[in-house]
Amino acid sequence: MAQNGNSQRGPRCVALVGPFQSGKTTLLEGILARTGAIQRQGTVDAGTTVGDGSKEARHHCMSVELSVASTEFMGDTYTFIDCPGSVEFIHDMRTALPAVDAAVVVCEMDDKKIPQLQLILRELEDQKIPRFLFLNKIDKADAGVHEALNLLQPASRSKLLMRQLPTFSGEIITGFVDLALERAFVYKEHAPSEIVPLEGDALDREKTARFSMLETLADHDDELMEQLLEDIQPPRDKVFDDLSKELRDGLVCPVLLGSATRTNGVLRLLKALRHESPGVAATAARLGVKGGADAVAYAFKTLHTAHGGKMSLVRVLSGTIPEGAQLTGASGTADRASGVFKMSGQQSEKRGAAQAGETVALGKLDHAATCDTLTTGKQPLPPLAEVKPYAPVLAAGLAAKERKDDVKLGQALHKLVEEDPSLVIVHNAEQQEIIAWGQGEMHLRVATERLADRFGVAIMSHAPKVGYRETIRKPITQRGRHKKQSGGHGQFGDVVLDIKPLPRSGGFKFDEKITGGVVPRNYIPSVEEGVIDGLKQGPLGFPVVDVSVTLIDGSYHTVDSSDQAFRTAGRIGIVEGLPQCNPVLLEPIHHVEVVCPSDATAKINAIVSGRRGQLLGFDTRDGWNGWDVVRALMPESEIGDLIVEVRSATSGVGSYTFKFDHMAELTGKTADQIVAARRAAE
Ligand SMILES: Nc1nc2c(ncn2[C@@H]2O[C@H](COP(=O)(O)OP(=O)(O)OP(=O)(O)O)[C@@H](O)[C@H]2O)c(=O)[nH]1
Ligand SMILES: [Mg+2]
């Protein structure tokens, strides 16, 4: 310990993660209240928490982006990053993880949430983040909590290690025994737990549970194993050393108990973080930060605030960032930080220089992006972490409600994507649409709410258009004749076109077989242009593809013929010819892969078949215990809101990716409806 009572590990940064609605934001509130950072512990349901401070989070009673708050505990600063639990907002958690020393995975005794837990633990395992499990809502749990490890273990690759043993009064959990300290506590609502004697039945159970905890630790410590075999009590310091070493190395994941609403178990959690979790030095080493004269920080979130403008949330990994520091990120351009701020949910407060270990916001770094490695040096550093968003799964067409907001919409979308890179904006030139691609229904809904609330652009959204095409099934020879005699100079063009179907993905081919100059050479390109004009919208209302057109005959007039006249003649030829060629609708078919927990595979198969999908088979998902991947060919029009059904069949964890495969003919009632809808829209 340092003299001032601070631990030598310095300011910490800890992520609160876990399945949807497990109590992360409530736990943050409990921590802030228990450590005196806030006067009153707010609740999510009343919309009074620090973590869910944004209008959108309050409105939906769930976290929709990460939020950050710092507090002091036993002389050290702790910054917590409260991450959303919904898979639709998981990108914020993924970009935050490189910044943290450890994560607290808040979870419940609920088998329906195990796949979500597995998903989150997988991210932590992959990024090598030391992690505790906080088994929350213990106020609602019963004696079944003994089964917690059996229930939760399959979700974790590293061994779960019970650090605490619940004690009961009847069916209700009233306290716990700390198995490392060997002390018994009873919970007090909104107050520290009280130490009570450890005796009788509780003592016997403690001995067994402690032995099992030590056995788990001894798997990675031969000396401890020998002590256990020889019935020697290991010294308490050794147990704590092993706990923190094996936590840091990702060998074990200690499990603590508590109730966020009552702040039960919160102090023990903080003490475990203080004594067992690594500090910034270990985190910098994990990320490969090379110490030196220049400060290094990792930016894990970008915000555009109404008053402060752009803010970059960063963890300082080495050195000091003074006010007004010049910082360079991946862009290579240095920006001057307009200020160093302490964050508390939506509130920011100006403060002084930030030291290694501290988590702060830096103002107005115009060129900094989320995931950037920032340095006070002149040269940009190689990135410490690269977190690519998952491929988006749901699209919506967006337009400003009022035309005058079109320019503002463009700027707002740019800021929105800076804040949330898991949102993808595509400008579809063919359909003249702005398409927002997101991670799910709620993600897109929140995006449009933010556009209105934060950036003042009211939005209309619509289902994006499907990329239908049409083609022909019968060849024909068609004349196209354009003749106009109005007063002086007339117009004359006359062509004969051979129109033929091409095989699928044959595109468009134009050829000519003109002999004897019946159509002068210089007009032939105009004929082709006219044909292309005519193919832009076929008789069914869609672009025509897989057609070959050959100019075989025609005639001209020495005075009245022109490029324009032959262009018009070409267009007339194709437009009059196509309806006689037995046109047919083509729809895009995609190759789809749905990933889901195996017990949902049958449901997914049914969903895919119900959406005109052609199942290609399913396999176990590589490296994912208990998961499958279902492969199918599916029409684009049926994929539109596929994710909504997939999520509801998989407790929110299933997802899919897709890739264009081919265009297929579509006939019958479905095709008639599409054509009728297209005509109605005209
Ligand atoms: N009984 C009980 N309820 C709790 C406890 N902790 C949280 N809750 C309730 O669980 C619900 C979700 O709590 P949140 O704190 O929003 O959970 P979260 O994990 O932050 O949710 P997301 O961020 O949306 O994933 C709220 O209704 C809380 O009041 C607890 O310890 N006991
Ligand atoms: Mg939350």
Side-chain angles (χ1 to χ4, degrees), residues 430-442:
E430 177 193 312
Q431 314 272 24
Q432 298 196 329
E433 282 182 312
I434 298 177
I435 306 288
W437 276 95
Q439 306 291 330
E441 235 181 347
M442 185 58 94

Side-chain angles (χ1 to χ4, degrees), residues 648-668:
S648 83
T650 57
S651 318
V653 293
S655 194
Y656 79 100
T657 51
F658 67 95
K659 206 171 141 211
F660 174 76
D661 196 79
H662 65 278
M663 299 296 287
E665 284 185 12
L666 180 63
T667 53

Side-chain angles (χ1 to χ4, degrees), residues 562-627:
S562 65
D563 281 332
Q564 192 50 49
F566 270 99
R567 184 167 177 162
T568 308
R571 185 169 54 75
I572 291 172
I574 195 83
V575 167
E576 290 182 355
L578 287 175
Q580 310 165 52
C581 295
N582 200 358
V584 63
L585 197 64
L586 291 177
E587 66 170 344
I589 306 286
H590 296 273
H591 185 266
V592 173
E593 290 194 354
V594 187
V595 292
C596 62
S598 308
D599 55 8
T601 305
K603 273 195 244 170
I604 296 296
N605 285 346
I607 291 170
V608 169
S609 308
R611 290 171 169 255
R612 298 196 284 128
Q614 179 197 340
L615 282 166
L616 301 174
F618 72 93
D619 270 315
T620 52
R621 187 180 181 192
D622 236 7
W624 284 74
N625 194 10
W627 284 64

Side-chain angles (χ1 to χ4, degrees), residues 540-542 585 669-682:
L540 305 179
F542 298 97
L585 197 64
K669 214 168 115 199
T670 318
D672 296 344
Q673 284 166 351
I674 293 163
V675 173
R678 171 78 191 163
R679 293 226 165 98
E682 286 278 290

Side-chain angles (χ1 to χ4, degrees), residues 19-26 44-45 52 61-63 82-86 136-140 258-261:
F20 185 47
Q21 297 280 294
S22 60
K24 302 168 286 292
T25 303
T26 308
V44 170
D45 304 315
D52 285 352
C61 278
M62 63 183 275
S63 304
D82 173 22
C83 299
S86 158
N136 190 32
K137 307 197 184 180
I138 210 80
D139 53 300
K140 289 201 306 193
S259 160
T261 41

Side-chain angles (χ1 to χ4, degrees), residues 3-15:
Q3 275 178 341
N4 58 6
N6 293 10
S7 73
Q8 284 154 357
R9 294 185 198 132
R12 313 293 176 82
C13 183
V14 176

Side-chain angles (χ1 to χ4, degrees), residues 322-326 336-340:
E323 256 180 287
Q326 293 278 348
R336 186 175 175 278
S338 71
V340 180

